[in-house]
């Protein structure tokens, strides 16, 4: 662990409060060839970020190499990662324009909890004293373990992609219920582009070149903690229709219901 003992104690206490770490008895830590599997941690500078006192802000990284070496990676939805190249097949007609929207989750690699059965593989090498956690005078050493899908874990990417996609696809009220046939993923055909999203019959139809239409064509994709939404409308209605994404709004409703934060600074609206 690359931290002074007193600093590590402060980090551990805050991480326990936030549910990022949990206590684990030393005898429950997983052993390999008779030796306990103990992991490390370190910080990486976040450029341009300072705290209230003007000090540097670091991103916490779990160094889980010892644990990773004993595991097989859980692939999750890693095959569905959709980077910028996945959007290349998208095409616009001569009378169409596209608007892009986006959201970025905050501290995404520390949002999703792991079952307690993972704790024995996630313990850290530096214990803290009991008194540092409860304010007592106890010097009893306490070991803690990572309790979340954390940056530095072998399976973090696949599980993070799965968790965010599940929030997008799951039926309401537990998820955003985004249309699966409009998702842009890696290694698959681009979604059908000819049809707009269906709208409720109560909504006012829009007039496109003298014809009634049920709304813009919308698409979405997930890249870990980054969400991209695209809305395609006829040029005739550019500036006269809605300048928002219904898919983005549905996703944000789900985030609020699960108390998942997103960055207002990085949002594209």
């Amino acid at each position: 662990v690359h931290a002074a003992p007193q600093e590590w104690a402060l980090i551990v206490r805050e991480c326990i409060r936030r549910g990022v770490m949990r206590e684990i008895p030393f005898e429950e830590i997983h052993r390999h060839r008779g030796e306990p599997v103990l992991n490390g941690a370190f910080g990486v500078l976040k450029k341009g970020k300072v705290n209230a006192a003007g000090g540097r802000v670091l991103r916490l990284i779990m160094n889980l190499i010892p644990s990773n070496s004993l595991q097989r990676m859980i692939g999750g939805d890693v095959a569905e990662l959709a980077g910028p190249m996945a959007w290349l097949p998208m095409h616009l007609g001569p009378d169409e324009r596209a608007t892009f929207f986006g959201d970025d989750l905050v501290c995404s690699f520390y949002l999703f909890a792991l079952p307690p059965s993972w704790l024995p593989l996630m313990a850290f090498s530096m214990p803290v004293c009991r008194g540092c956690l409860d304010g007592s005078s106890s010097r009893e050493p306490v070991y803690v373990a990572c309790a979340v899908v954390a940056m530095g874990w072998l399976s973090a990417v696949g599980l993070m992609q799965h968790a965010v996609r599940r929030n997008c696809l799951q039926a309401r009220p537990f998820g955003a219920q985004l249309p699966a046939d409009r998702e842009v993923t890696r290694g698959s055909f681009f979604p059908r582009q000819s049809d707009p999203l269906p709208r409720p019959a109560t909504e006012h139809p829009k007039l496109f070149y003298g014809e009634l239409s049920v709304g813009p064509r919308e698409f979405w994709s997930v890249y870990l903690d980054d969400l991209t939404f695209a809305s395609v409308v006829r040029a005739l209605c550019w500036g006269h229709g809605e300048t928002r994404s219904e898919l983005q709004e549905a996703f944000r409703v789900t985030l609020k219901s699960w108390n998942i934060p997103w960055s207002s600074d990085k949002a594209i609206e």
Side-chain angles (χ1 to χ4, degrees):
V1 174
H2 294 270
Q6 63 272 23
E7 292 293 332
W8 179 241
L10 295 174
I11 293 170
V12 167
R13 186 169 62 186
E14 184 64 19
C15 284
I16 289 177
R17 187 183 73 83
R18 293 175 178 267
V20 174
M21 295 181 185
R22 293 178 62 177
E23 294 184 26
I24 181 171
F26 182 75
E27 60 272 14
E28 293 184 9
I29 296 175
H30 183 77
R31 290 180 175 270
H32 179 65
R33 297 177 179 175
E35 296 295 327
V37 178
L38 298 172
N39 303 283
F42 59 92
V44 174
L45 182 66
K46 298 187 72 171
K47 294 182 179 180
K49 294 282 187 177
V50 295
N51 59 25
R56 296 182 300 175
V57 176
L58 302 181
R59 185 191 307 275
L60 178 63
I61 308 293
M62 312 294 194
N63 183 4
L64 300 172
I65 292 177
S67 177
N68 289 340
S69 67
L70 302 177
Q71 301 178 44
R72 293 180 180 177
M73 186 181 73
I74 300 173
D77 287 4
V78 71
E80 308 300 331
L81 283 167
M85 298 294 290
W87 288 87
L88 289 181
M90 179 180 178
H91 66 269
L92 300 177
D95 61 343
E96 291 182 322
R97 294 185 181 181
T99 305
F100 284 86
F101 307 83
D103 279 320
D104 184 273
L105 305 187
V106 176
C107 297
S108 57
F109 280 95
Y110 301 98
L111 291 175
F112 300 100
L114 286 172
S117 56
W118 281 100
L119 293 180
L121 280 166
M122 302 295 192
F124 294 103
S125 60
M126 184 184 292
V128 297
C129 65
R130 173 66 63 188
C132 294
L133 301 180
D134 60 15
S136 68
S137 59
S138 173
R139 305 299 299 175
E140 173 196 358
V142 177
Y143 283 84
V144 296
C146 175
V148 295
V149 176
M151 187 179 298
W153 182 35
L154 177 70
S155 299
V157 171
L159 291 182
M160 170 64 64
Q161 181 74 3
H162 173 77
V164 178
R165 288 188 70 240
R166 181 176 176 83
N167 279 332
C168 291
L169 293 167
Q170 194 170 17
R172 300 184 182 119
F174 302 106
Q177 198 172 338
L178 302 186
D181 62 344
R182 297 306 173 95
E183 182 185 10
V184 179
T185 61
R186 182 178 65 181
S188 62
F189 290 107
F190 198 87
R192 180 180 172 87
Q193 302 191 51
S194 59
D195 300 326
L197 284 173
R199 297 289 186 91
T202 56
E203 290 195 15
H204 295 293
K206 296 179 173 59
L207 186 64
F208 288 162
Y209 291 109
E211 298 178 357
L212 292 180
S213 171
V214 290
R217 297 187 285 116
E218 296 198 61
F219 310 97
W220 62 279
S221 71
V222 176
Y223 193 90
L224 299 176
D225 57 347
D226 290 317
L227 280 292
T228 301
F229 307 92
S231 180
V232 180
V233 298
R234 295 284 180 87
L236 181 67
C237 297
W238 186 260
H240 299 283
E242 300 169 345
T243 57
R244 62 187 178 91
S245 167
E246 290 187 354
L247 301 186
Q248 184 183 44
E249 291 184 352
F251 179 65
R252 287 183 173 182
V253 169
T254 299
L255 294 182
K256 290 179 180 179
S257 69
W258 287 103
N259 293 320
I260 297 176
W262 72 88
S263 174
S264 57
D265 295 335
K266 297 180 181 179
I268 303 174
E269 303 174 325

